[in-house]
Amino acid sequence: MKRRIQLFMWGYQQHFAHSIEYLAKKVFAELGIDLEPDVLLIGILKPDEKDNHPVCVEPEEGKWPLPIFSNLPTRFLEIEATHPLRNIFYGDEPSMADKPENIRRSSASMAVQEALVIFDQANYVHSFCGSARPVGGYYVVPVLQVPDAVFDKFPPLQLPDTGRDYTPKGEYGLIHSAIGVLLNEASGYLLQPDPGRNLSFDMRQASDIAREAAEHFMRIPDFLTGTFGYSATDLFQRLNILSSLFYEGREGVGSLVLAKPDSSFLEYAVRFRTPVPLTEPRWARKILQMASERFALICSDGKIHGLGNIATTHESEKLNAFTINFLNHYQWELCLGSQALMYSRYREPKLPQMPIEHAQFVSNYLRLFRSAAANDAETLWSLFEACTSMEHGAMLVVLEDAEAEAERLKDQGTPIEPAQMTRDLLHRVSDIDGSILLDPAGRCFAVGVILDGIATEECSPARGSRYNSALRYVGGAPAARMAIIVSDDRTVDLVPLLSPQISKQEIEARIQSFEKASTEDYHADQSWLDKRRFYLKEPETRRINAVLDRLNEAPRDIGEIRYLVSRFVPSSEVDDSYFL
């Protein structure tokens, strides 16, 4: 039986929605998070169209029941009748001619945003609506929905209302910026003939969209700390150039404070008579060499005004001072007080985050070291947090046989009398080369140890010597071992990082749901199972592959494309310790 679209807007609406969803997933992967926002398309019938559905939703059998949008046509007309643009008069005839259509498009987006408020509150999500575009007989609004929990993990800035229509206000962060660029991309392609027919869309790469999102986001601190208005400088690009330059063979390391130059909370050590523009990168890089742990560059409107610092009494919540920390060659981060907002490495923006959450670290630790107590895991978590704040490389290794290993490697390090490791002691002993050996209770037995071991398949020439040394040493050990590795670029790794524990009942429920799926509603279960291949043994993979075969062999409608994953292979590594 051929699949038919009941709520029909145009023939490729399903393909278009799936492609935006896929692109969004890739963009967030570029930013360093595993996030798959829900994508839906809402169509409002044009007022002059008749004999068709007043509202259409794609996907039509998803989690968004049509009654949510029952009042959309009425609200659309009400908003249009009182839209603020009606009071705007343009000085040129083409703009005045475009005004009625622009009002209708804006009214459609505003009506959809209103209609989703109650759904968002009930389902703990946040809906972002793009600009409406005319497709066929409808004004189509693309929507991305993101779980509220994402913004708990990555708190956005609370921007003040400046009274200006074209400056952001309310909650805003790098995620918001990325969603804005994605929706602009989607709205732009809705204007193309048969949007979705060409699944590649000729759209930009996810990495390009992520960089544009970073460029837009960096306009916020630039605007809040400048005097010439919104987006006065291309700050993201300027900082990347500055961080990439060497001075007499040395990398640029130091800080730059974004703040209005005459702010009362600034404490100058040196103030330049003539500010140094960031558009003169070699001059600016020379000035950066003067920065140190004591003094930062003071910058506003794309110009360096001097050397100084933010007063310790300053309140970061006022959003009038941001800090750029230059970490290494071509690497920097944006901070508001102690909160990191964005990290950039070789022009690739990332969301700052701990490499592992507290609960996962504790679970990982107690599963590796069966004799360890919960307070031992908390001790190591405290040391792990200390490692993430280090500005230089280091390696901490926990071993069940720490005392014996310290004796065996005594000619390759410095054995010590057992001493409880603390954050302060860790910072002191990590200043020398080599690894620090601890037992599962956090007692130190040796420092400055050169590790040995046999190369494994996981070793990579793309990573540094510390990381590969840890893989060799930990991977071939007969006793339980764990390494915390801080690379020179401030990347923090945990080896081994076990896959988190999950519920067998949840896996079974997903497989049963997948077995009942049709060609119209298999996507969510297939995606969930595809991400959890590691946990699946032979009986489960056989059942899943049978469903894939059935879906692949089902008759296809003209132009229908199915996104089926590769066949499942039984996991050889999973055991009962991976299940709750």
Side-chain angles (χ1 to χ4, degrees):
M1 179 179 178
K2 293 184 176 181
R3 179 182 182 184
R4 297 187 181 276
I5 303 173
Q6 301 300 321
L7 300 176
F8 184 88
M9 293 178 282
W10 78 101
Y12 300 97
Q13 63 192 55
Q14 298 164 345
H15 301 167
F16 184 85
H18 283 311
S19 297
I20 294 296
E21 195 171 74
Y22 178 70
L23 178 61
K25 177 183 176 181
K26 292 184 67 175
V27 168
F28 286 113
E30 285 287 331
L31 295 178
I33 58 173
D34 183 12
L35 176 62
E36 295 184 50
D38 286 321
V39 173
L40 63 154
L41 307 174
I42 309 297
I44 305 175
L45 191 66
K46 294 179 180 179
D48 53 349
E49 293 283 340
K50 305 295 181 184
D51 302 324
N52 215 332
H53 295 288
V55 177
C56 290
V57 180
E58 175 59 48
E60 60 188 47
E61 295 180 356
K63 61 181 75 171
W64 306 275
L66 204 56
I68 293 175
F69 308 103
S70 59
N71 197 42
L72 261 185
T74 301
R75 279 301 293 152
F76 169 53
L77 295 176
E78 290 173 351
I79 294 171
E80 182 189 9
T82 59
H83 198 284
L85 282 180
R86 288 192 173 275
N87 300 321
I88 302 295
F89 292 89
Y90 299 99
D92 60 304
E93 187 174 336
S95 295
M96 286 299 293
D98 290 341
K99 191 173 81 167
E101 177 65 12
N102 290 337
I103 288 174
R104 281 193 169 180
R105 294 181 184 185
S106 176
S107 300
S109 295
M110 293 168 68
V112 169
Q113 188 77 66
E114 276 187 17
L116 287 167
V117 168
I118 295 177
F119 179 90
D120 287 4
Q121 293 172 347
N123 293 276
Y124 305 101
V125 297
H126 195 124
S127 294
F128 296 85
C129 296
S131 299
R133 294 292 183 262
V135 183
Y138 290 86
Y139 284 110
V140 178
V141 180
V143 180
L144 267 70
Q145 285 186 342
V146 177
D148 288 341
V150 172
F151 302 110
D152 295 333
K153 186 174 181 180
F154 303 101
L157 299 174
Q158 302 295 326
L159 302 182
D161 187 352
T162 62
R164 304 179 191 177
D165 292 336
Y166 298 103
T167 56
K169 52 183 173 288
E171 292 187 347
Y172 197 82
L174 181 57
I175 293 176
H176 297 73
S177 184
I179 290 173
V181 177
L182 276 163
L183 288 172
N184 284 340
E185 198 83 359
S187 294
Y189 275 90
L190 281 172
L191 292 174
Q192 302 294 324
D194 296 325
R197 180 181 180 186
N198 178 4
L199 289 179
S200 69
F201 286 166
D202 296 325
M203 295 180 84
R204 292 179 295 160
Q205 296 292 318
S207 56
D208 294 333
I209 293 176
R211 278 192 288 270
E212 183 177 337
E215 290 171 4
H216 288 190
F217 178 55
M218 287 302 297
R219 294 175 187 172
I220 300 300
D222 197 18
F223 162 68
L224 292 173
T225 61
T227 58
F228 293 142
Y230 189 47
S231 66
T233 59
D234 186 0
L235 193 56
F236 182 71
Q237 177 69 6
R238 298 300 171 197
L239 294 174
N240 280 319
I241 293 173
L242 183 57
S243 68
S244 71
L245 298 177
F246 290 89
Y247 179 74
E248 295 184 348
R250 286 177 286 180
E251 300 169 339
V253 178
S255 297
L256 180 150
V257 171
L258 294 171
K260 294 181 179 179
D262 296 322
S263 300
S264 60
F265 55 81
L266 290 178
E267 299 172 344
Y268 279 93
V270 174
R271 186 157 185 178
F272 304 140
R273 285 189 176 182
T274 303
V276 179
L278 292 179
T279 51
E280 297 284 347
R282 294 192 180 277
W283 189 5
R285 173 63 187 87
K286 187 176 182 179
I287 298 300
L288 177 61
Q289 200 61 34
M290 299 167 61
S292 65
E293 291 184 3
R294 294 182 57 197
F295 300 115
L297 307 183
I298 307 297
C299 183
S300 179
D301 297 321
K303 297 183 180 68
I304 301 170
H305 295 264
L307 291 171
N309 268 318
I310 302 172
T312 55
T313 55
H314 176 258
E315 299 174 358
S316 61
E317 295 80 8
K318 293 183 176 180
L319 303 183
N320 54 8
F322 295 80
T323 304
I324 308 294
N325 295 316
F326 295 98
L327 308 173
N328 213 318
H329 178 241
Y330 228 142
Q331 298 171 54
W332 55 273
E333 65 180 357
L334 169 69
C335 296
L336 175 66
S338 60
Q339 178 189 0
L341 302 175
M342 187 179 76
Y343 173 69
S344 177
R345 184 175 188 268
Y346 294 98
R347 294 183 65 244
E348 295 181 358
K350 302 290 182 185
L351 286 158
Q353 55 185 307
M354 291 288 285
I356 181 174
E357 299 294 331
H358 172 259
Q360 188 180 5
F361 179 92
V362 170
S363 173
N364 194 77
Y365 195 79
L366 295 178
R367 287 159 64 195
L368 282 170
F369 303 105
R370 303 295 176 88
S371 62
N375 62 322
D376 296 332
E378 293 298 334
T379 296
L380 264 295
W381 170 253
S382 177
L383 298 176
F384 177 78
E385 288 185 307
C387 287
T388 64
S389 65
M390 287 183 177
E391 297 183 358
H392 56 76
M395 182 151 65
L396 197 62
V397 182
V398 183
L399 319 86
E400 281 189 336
D401 52 349
E403 185 172 8
E405 280 296 282
E407 175 64 23
R408 185 179 72 83
L409 298 172
K410 62 183 179 182
D411 295 330
Q412 298 173 212
T414 304
I416 65 171
E417 292 295 326
Q420 187 65 40
M421 183 58 67
T422 63
R423 294 171 73 109
D424 181 61
L425 180 59
L426 175 61
H427 279 286
R428 292 178 181 275
V429 299
S430 64
D431 283 340
I432 64 172
D433 292 335
S435 301
I436 301 163
L437 303 189
L438 308 177
D439 71 2
R443 295 183 302 163
C444 182
F445 285 82
V447 298
V449 179
I450 306 302
L451 302 178
D452 54 17
I454 300 173
T456 68
E457 293 181 356
E458 288 78 19
C459 291
S460 169
R463 299 301 304 272
S465 59
R466 282 192 188 91
Y467 181 80
N468 286 301
S469 176
L471 286 178
R472 289 193 296 268
Y473 184 70
V474 171
R481 292 177 184 175
M482 185 188 80
I484 300 170
I485 310 117
V486 182
S487 302
D488 289 329
D489 63 359
R490 293 180 69 175
T491 300
V492 181
D493 291 284
L494 190 66
V495 178
L497 180 55
L498 303 177
S499 297
Q501 292 175 304
I502 66 173
S503 165
K504 281 188 175 182
Q505 289 78 7
E506 186 176 13
I507 292 175
E508 177 60 26
R510 281 287 185 169
I511 294 176
Q512 289 184 14
S513 176
F514 192 48
E515 288 175 324
K516 299 173 184 176
S518 69
T519 56
E520 299 182 12
D521 60 4
Y522 68 89
H523 301 91
D525 291 325
Q526 176 184 261
S527 178
W528 193 92
L529 292 167
D530 188 41
K531 290 180 180 179
R532 293 160 179 82
R533 289 174 179 258
F534 173 83
Y535 301 96
L536 303 173
K537 302 291 278 185
E538 195 279 331
E540 292 89 359
T541 58
R542 177 165 31 85
R543 292 165 62 191
I544 295 169
N545 288 332
V547 179
L548 291 175
D549 291 339
R550 173 172 60 80
L551 294 172
N552 187 51
E553 294 166 2
R556 280 177 166 79
D557 201 350
I558 296 174
E560 179 186 355
I561 296 177
R562 292 181 196 148
Y563 299 88
L564 298 177
V565 298
S566 59
R567 295 180 69 79
F568 284 65
V569 177
S571 172
S572 59
E573 300 177 50
V574 69
D575 57 36
D576 288 342
S577 68
Y578 288 93
F579 299 103
L580 296 171

